[in-house]
PDB file of all heavy atoms in Angstrom:
ATOM      1  N   ILE A 108      -4.528  10.008  -0.715  1.00 74.00           N
ATOM      2  CA  ILE A 108      -5.130  10.407  -1.951  1.00 74.00           C
ATOM      3  C   ILE A 108      -5.716   9.156  -2.585  1.00 74.00           C
ATOM      4  O   ILE A 108      -4.915   8.286  -3.031  1.00 74.00           O
ATOM      5  CB  ILE A 108      -4.150  11.118  -2.876  1.00 74.00           C
ATOM      6  CG1 ILE A 108      -3.514  12.273  -2.156  1.00 74.00           C
ATOM      7  CG2 ILE A 108      -4.905  11.632  -4.142  1.00 74.00           C
ATOM      8  CD1 ILE A 108      -2.362  12.895  -2.912  1.00 74.00           C
ATOM      9  N   GLY A 109      -6.996   8.983  -2.598  1.00 72.00           N
ATOM     10  CA  GLY A 109      -7.552   7.688  -3.112  1.00 72.00           C
ATOM     11  C   GLY A 109      -7.123   6.553  -2.160  1.00 72.00           C
ATOM     12  O   GLY A 109      -7.127   6.646  -0.989  1.00 72.00           O
ATOM     13  N   ASN A 110      -6.460   5.534  -2.841  1.00 71.00           N
ATOM     14  CA  ASN A 110      -5.924   4.519  -2.041  1.00 71.00           C
ATOM     15  C   ASN A 110      -4.388   4.579  -1.955  1.00 71.00           C
ATOM     16  O   ASN A 110      -3.699   3.652  -1.659  1.00 71.00           O
ATOM     17  CB  ASN A 110      -6.401   3.110  -2.404  1.00 71.00           C
ATOM     18  CG  ASN A 110      -6.485   3.043  -3.861  1.00 71.00           C
ATOM     19  OD1 ASN A 110      -6.091   3.995  -4.579  1.00 71.00           O
ATOM     20  ND2 ASN A 110      -6.935   1.912  -4.441  1.00 71.00           N
ATOM     21  N   TRP A 111      -3.856   5.819  -2.306  1.00 72.00           N
ATOM     22  CA  TRP A 111      -2.419   6.023  -2.122  1.00 72.00           C
ATOM     23  C   TRP A 111      -2.166   6.705  -0.818  1.00 72.00           C
ATOM     24  O   TRP A 111      -2.896   7.632  -0.446  1.00 72.00           O
ATOM     25  CB  TRP A 111      -1.847   6.917  -3.226  1.00 72.00           C
ATOM     26  CG  TRP A 111      -1.825   6.253  -4.579  1.00 72.00           C
ATOM     27  CD1 TRP A 111      -2.872   6.066  -5.432  1.00 72.00           C
ATOM     28  CD2 TRP A 111      -0.691   5.712  -5.230  1.00 72.00           C
ATOM     29  NE1 TRP A 111      -2.483   5.439  -6.533  1.00 72.00           N
ATOM     30  CE2 TRP A 111      -1.102   5.205  -6.420  1.00 72.00           C
ATOM     31  CE3 TRP A 111       0.683   5.645  -4.843  1.00 72.00           C
ATOM     32  CZ2 TRP A 111      -0.203   4.586  -7.293  1.00 72.00           C
ATOM     33  CZ3 TRP A 111       1.556   4.995  -5.709  1.00 72.00           C
ATOM     34  CH2 TRP A 111       1.066   4.511  -6.947  1.00 72.00           C
ATOM     35  N   THR A 112      -1.152   6.317  -0.116  1.00 71.00           N
ATOM     36  CA  THR A 112      -0.778   7.046   1.045  1.00 71.00           C
ATOM     37  C   THR A 112       0.554   7.729   0.811  1.00 71.00           C
ATOM     38  O   THR A 112       1.545   7.048   0.503  1.00 71.00           O
ATOM     39  CB  THR A 112      -0.637   6.073   2.264  1.00 71.00           C
ATOM     40  OG1 THR A 112      -1.865   5.365   2.383  1.00 71.00           O
ATOM     41  CG2 THR A 112      -0.414   6.903   3.547  1.00 71.00           C
ATOM     42  N   VAL A 113       0.543   9.044   0.844  1.00 70.00           N
ATOM     43  CA  VAL A 113       1.818   9.748   0.592  1.00 70.00           C
ATOM     44  C   VAL A 113       2.321  10.296   1.909  1.00 70.00           C
ATOM     45  O   VAL A 113       1.755  11.231   2.492  1.00 70.00           O
ATOM     46  CB  VAL A 113       1.582  10.912  -0.391  1.00 70.00           C
ATOM     47  CG1 VAL A 113       2.881  11.581  -0.743  1.00 70.00           C
ATOM     48  CG2 VAL A 113       0.881  10.413  -1.630  1.00 70.00           C
ATOM     49  N   PRO A 114       3.448   9.763   2.353  1.00 70.00           N
ATOM     50  CA  PRO A 114       4.068  10.355   3.615  1.00 70.00           C
ATOM     51  C   PRO A 114       4.617  11.722   3.274  1.00 70.00           C
ATOM     52  O   PRO A 114       5.212  11.947   2.211  1.00 70.00           O
ATOM     53  CB  PRO A 114       5.156   9.360   3.961  1.00 70.00           C
ATOM     54  CG  PRO A 114       5.495   8.614   2.694  1.00 70.00           C
ATOM     55  CD  PRO A 114       4.278   8.681   1.827  1.00 70.00           C
ATOM     56  N   LEU A 115       4.464  12.616   4.246  1.00 71.00           N
ATOM     57  CA  LEU A 115       4.906  14.006   3.940  1.00 71.00           C
ATOM     58  C   LEU A 115       6.357  14.233   4.431  1.00 71.00           C
ATOM     59  O   LEU A 115       6.708  15.268   4.977  1.00 71.00           O
ATOM     60  CB  LEU A 115       3.992  14.992   4.606  1.00 71.00           C
ATOM     61  CG  LEU A 115       2.593  15.158   3.883  1.00 71.00           C
ATOM     62  CD1 LEU A 115       1.766  16.186   4.526  1.00 71.00           C
ATOM     63  CD2 LEU A 115       2.808  15.426   2.391  1.00 71.00           C
ATOM     64  N   SER A 116       7.174  13.225   4.282  1.00 73.00           N
ATOM     65  CA  SER A 116       8.578  13.401   4.464  1.00 73.00           C
ATOM     66  C   SER A 116       9.274  12.396   3.572  1.00 73.00           C
ATOM     67  O   SER A 116       8.671  11.436   3.135  1.00 73.00           O
ATOM     68  CB  SER A 116       8.958  13.114   5.936  1.00 73.00           C
ATOM     69  OG  SER A 116       8.743  11.768   6.208  1.00 73.00           O
ATOM     70  N   ILE A 117      10.558  12.638   3.319  1.00 75.00           N
ATOM     71  CA  ILE A 117      11.200  11.740   2.409  1.00 75.00           C
ATOM     72  C   ILE A 117      11.372  10.377   3.102  1.00 75.00           C
ATOM     73  O   ILE A 117      11.221   9.316   2.524  1.00 75.00           O
ATOM     74  CB  ILE A 117      12.534  12.328   1.927  1.00 75.00           C
ATOM     75  CG1 ILE A 117      12.287  13.508   1.088  1.00 75.00           C
ATOM     76  CG2 ILE A 117      13.357  11.235   1.236  1.00 75.00           C
ATOM     77  CD1 ILE A 117      13.457  14.201   0.581  1.00 75.00           C
ATOM     78  N   ALA A 118      11.752  10.443   4.385  1.00 75.00           N
ATOM     79  CA  ALA A 118      11.892   9.224   5.138  1.00 75.00           C
ATOM     80  C   ALA A 118      11.457   9.502   6.601  1.00 75.00           C
ATOM     81  O   ALA A 118      11.569  10.632   7.043  1.00 75.00           O
ATOM     82  CB  ALA A 118      13.303   8.735   5.086  1.00 75.00           C
ATOM     83  N   ASP A 119      10.919   8.499   7.225  1.00 74.00           N
ATOM     84  CA  ASP A 119      10.642   8.665   8.636  1.00 74.00           C
ATOM     85  C   ASP A 119      11.267   7.559   9.392  1.00 74.00           C
ATOM     86  O   ASP A 119      10.619   6.669   9.933  1.00 74.00           O
ATOM     87  CB  ASP A 119       9.164   8.692   8.811  1.00 74.00           C
ATOM     88  CG  ASP A 119       8.733   9.217  10.188  1.00 74.00           C
ATOM     89  OD1 ASP A 119       9.641   9.729  10.842  1.00 74.00           O
ATOM     90  OD2 ASP A 119       7.543   9.084  10.568  1.00 74.00           O
ATOM     91  N   PRO A 120      12.629   7.508   9.424  1.00 77.00           N
ATOM     92  CA  PRO A 120      13.314   6.383  10.049  1.00 77.00           C
ATOM     93  C   PRO A 120      13.044   6.335  11.581  1.00 77.00           C
ATOM     94  O   PRO A 120      12.695   7.380  12.132  1.00 77.00           O
ATOM     95  CB  PRO A 120      14.793   6.670   9.776  1.00 77.00           C
ATOM     96  CG  PRO A 120      14.829   8.156   9.647  1.00 77.00           C
ATOM     97  CD  PRO A 120      13.551   8.578   9.056  1.00 77.00           C
ATOM     98  N   ASN A 121      13.226   5.231  12.154  1.00 80.00           N
ATOM     99  CA  ASN A 121      12.948   5.124  13.560  1.00 80.00           C
ATOM    100  C   ASN A 121      14.033   5.770  14.441  1.00 80.00           C
ATOM    101  O   ASN A 121      13.851   5.873  15.647  1.00 80.00           O
ATOM    102  CB  ASN A 121      12.749   3.615  13.985  1.00 80.00           C
ATOM    103  CG  ASN A 121      13.918   2.825  13.517  1.00 80.00           C
ATOM    104  OD1 ASN A 121      14.963   3.386  13.146  1.00 80.00           O
ATOM    105  ND2 ASN A 121      13.777   1.479  13.566  1.00 80.00           N
ATOM    106  N   ALA A 122      15.103   6.316  13.775  1.00 81.00           N
ATOM    107  CA  ALA A 122      16.087   7.072  14.569  1.00 81.00           C
ATOM    108  C   ALA A 122      16.148   8.451  13.983  1.00 81.00           C
ATOM    109  O   ALA A 122      17.226   9.026  13.812  1.00 81.00           O
ATOM    110  CB  ALA A 122      17.411   6.383  14.554  1.00 81.00           C
TER     111      ALA A 122
END
Side-chain angles (χ1 to χ4, degrees):
Chain A
I108 306 169
N110 39 5
W111 288 79
T112 307
V113 185
L115 287 183
S116 65
I117 293 177
D119 194 10
N121 53 13

